Amino acid sequence: MIVTVTLNTALDITYRVRGLRPHASHRITEVTERPGGKGLNVARVLAALGHEVTVTGFAGGTTGDVVREGLTGVPGVSDALMPVAGATRRTIAVVDELTGDTTQLNEPGPTVTAAEWGAFQEAFEDLLSGAAAVALCGSLPPGVPVGAYAGLVRAARTAQVPVLLDTSGEPLRRGLAGRPDLIKPNADELAELTGSHEPLRAAQAARRRGARSVIASLGPEGLLAVTPEGRWRAAPPAHVHGNPTGAGDSAVAGLLSGLVEHLPWPERLARAVALSAATVLAPVAGEFDRTAYEELLGRGVEVTAEAGAA
């Protein structure tokens, strides 16, 4: 079983419009609602790859009920979300059908009390006993300590469960103190963390700060991996156009599935890049175009070793 943690779950709402213009009224051509937040997106992709996944985090209010209802019946996904008094947030993605661009609006999330946070920590430690790996994903809702991820990373490491941390800003900076096995920032998040805008140099700096391995997402250029075993770059064979929402979450699913299957790094990276690109071609986050995924793997995602020591 793989555990994904989404402390700030969401109801993802996607609107499609024929051309998004500021200060104008728009007629929506299509609406999609589904459980969201980075860890829930990761879980759906992992389940589609054949893995058993337990999702945990917080859910509250009417929106939280809708999120939990949306998880019911998803094959391979078990719901271990914790109730909170506040209401789960909504995220709005507006897709411009003419350009393919997406505009994202994210609510902050419910305020979590000290008692709710304490109950979650106890439940998380119980889940670790049956976990093959853990993913800690996304932003922190109000009320959760900014150093929360460091404590969760330490709990996973104490239980000898590999842990991937996918967050940004101060939660990422603090989370490195727990020494996660893997982090997956994008280039901007990595630059904010280290002060370096050169991805390789920044990834090396992040490792010195506590991450065992760093997989940097470089957008259309793929992934850069800096690990104890070596350094690689992985890129799709061609640029993919579409909705990038959730592409990074699919990359996390590829990395986690490769980890628990004990694949060598080049195969993990090829899977992550293929899933990410196939998600750009899917209509909503948490899904991927399976035909495109298989074709991308079949054509061969380009994975090249970087010279020098890791």
Side-chain angles (χ1 to χ4, degrees), residues 10-307:
L11 178 64
D12 284 347
I13 303 170
T14 302
Y15 294 142
R16 301 184 71 87
V17 299
R18 290 286 297 173
L20 181 63
R21 304 179 308 280
H23 317 298
S25 178
H26 296 79
R27 186 175 298 278
I28 297 168
T29 61
E30 182 181 348
V31 181
T32 304
E33 288 189 355
R34 64 185 305 141
K38 294 176 72 64
L40 270 62
N41 293 337
V42 171
R44 280 196 298 268
V45 175
L46 283 169
L49 293 172
H51 291 275
E52 296 293 321
V53 190
T54 295
V55 297
T56 189
F58 297 114
T62 302
T63 308
D65 291 341
V66 175
V67 167
R68 302 193 79 160
E69 289 169 7
L71 292 172
T72 302
V74 178
V77 176
S78 298
D79 174 6
L81 293 169
M82 299 284 292
V84 289
T88 294
R89 66 188 177 130
R90 295 162 298 179
T91 65
I92 312 296
V94 184
V95 179
D96 185 326
E97 294 179 336
L98 295 180
T99 66
D101 293 335
T102 301
T103 300
Q104 193 82 17
L105 304 172
N106 297 327
E107 295 179 357
T111 298
V112 176
T113 67
E116 289 167 341
W117 173 237
F120 173 81
Q121 290 174 286
E122 292 181 9
F124 175 72
E125 292 183 9
D126 289 341
L127 285 172
L128 290 174
S129 63
V134 172
L136 307 173
C137 303
S139 62
L140 301 178
V144 172
V146 70
Y149 280 135
L152 298 182
V153 170
R154 291 189 184 101
R157 290 182 59 81
T158 298
Q160 299 184 327
V161 177
V163 56
L164 182 154
L165 177 60
D166 184 17
T167 188
S168 60
E170 194 62 20
L172 174 58
R173 190 182 309 276
R174 299 283 189 94
L176 288 180
R179 305 189 69 80
D181 295 276
L182 175 62
I183 64 171
K184 195 214 66 66
N186 62 35
D188 290 339
E189 292 163 349
L190 194 56
E192 180 185 5
L193 173 69
T194 65
S196 173
H197 290 273
E198 201 290 306
L200 180 57
R201 185 176 294 113
Q204 291 170 318
R207 286 199 66 217
R208 290 192 293 270
R209 295 183 184 210
R212 177 173 172 81
S213 298
V214 179
I215 312 301
S217 176
L218 307 179
E221 297 178 12
L223 300 174
L224 166 68
V226 180
T227 80
E229 291 78 22
R231 306 187 306 203
W232 294 269
R233 290 182 185 263
H239 181 60
V240 177
H241 297 277
N243 180 6
T245 305
D249 304 332
S250 292
V252 168
L255 295 169
L256 268 181
S257 62
L259 184 156
V260 299
E261 293 172 29
H262 307 290
L263 298 180
W265 272 109
E267 291 184 35
R268 296 187 207 180
L269 297 169
R271 178 181 292 182
V273 167
L275 281 170
S276 181
T279 297
V280 173
L281 298 172
V284 293
E287 293 184 357
F288 63 93
D289 185 315
R290 187 171 290 276
T291 299
Y293 166 63
E294 294 172 353
E295 289 178 352
L296 284 161
L297 280 182
R299 284 200 318 231
V301 174
E302 183 179 4
V303 182
T304 56
E306 291 276 302

